[in-house]
Amino acid sequence: RQSSEAATSPAQLKQASMVQSTVELRLQMNRETMESQISTLEAKLESVEEASRQLALLMRGKDAYVALEQAARLADQGIIARLEGDLADRGKPREDAEVA
């Protein structure tokens, strides 16, 4: 009985060593894969953050453009109203001319 245990023991040790090596290799491959995936995700996150910053800048630019456009419309309306007033005044006799 002792001889059979002694005979199988080196074979079991060899098999256990091979299993351990295989497990360690798989763990290393999984670690490398995860590190690669983390790097990829970090790069994508940086890209999304940059896109978000660019979008915020575009939105601020758009808001500024809309505000300028509204100001220009109001200015145009003011100019048009003033011109219409001037034209209307040209058709009326001036009060100061009538007094003189």
Side-chain angles (χ1 to χ4, degrees):
R1 193 170 175 202
Q2 288 177 347
S3 64
S4 82
E5 285 178 6
T8 58
S9 181
Q12 289 174 341
L13 287 174
K14 185 175 182 181
Q15 184 178 7
S17 176
M18 288 175 54
V19 169
Q20 181 181 358
S21 295
T22 301
V23 168
E24 288 173 353
L25 180 62
R26 286 183 180 169
L27 285 173
Q28 179 64 30
M29 290 171 54
N30 287 343
R31 185 177 308 117
E32 290 171 0
T33 299
M34 287 177 60
E35 288 171 355
S36 173
Q37 289 174 342
I38 287 170
S39 294
T40 299
L41 289 173
E42 286 172 341
K44 287 180 180 180
L45 177 60
E46 288 175 15
S47 177
V48 167
E49 288 171 343
E50 179 60 25
S52 178
R53 284 190 290 274
Q54 294 294 325
L55 181 59
L57 287 173
L58 285 172
M59 293 305 291
R60 277 184 280 194
K62 178 184 171 257
D63 291 344
Y65 176 79
V66 168
L68 284 173
E69 200 174 49
Q70 289 173 344
R73 266 197 301 270
L74 289 173
D76 287 348
Q77 290 171 359
I79 291 169
I80 290 170
R82 194 173 335 130
L83 289 174
E84 287 174 344
D86 289 348
L87 287 174
D89 288 345
R90 286 185 186 174
K92 295 180 186 174
R94 298 187 117 201
E95 293 177 16
D96 56 349
E98 291 177 2
V99 174

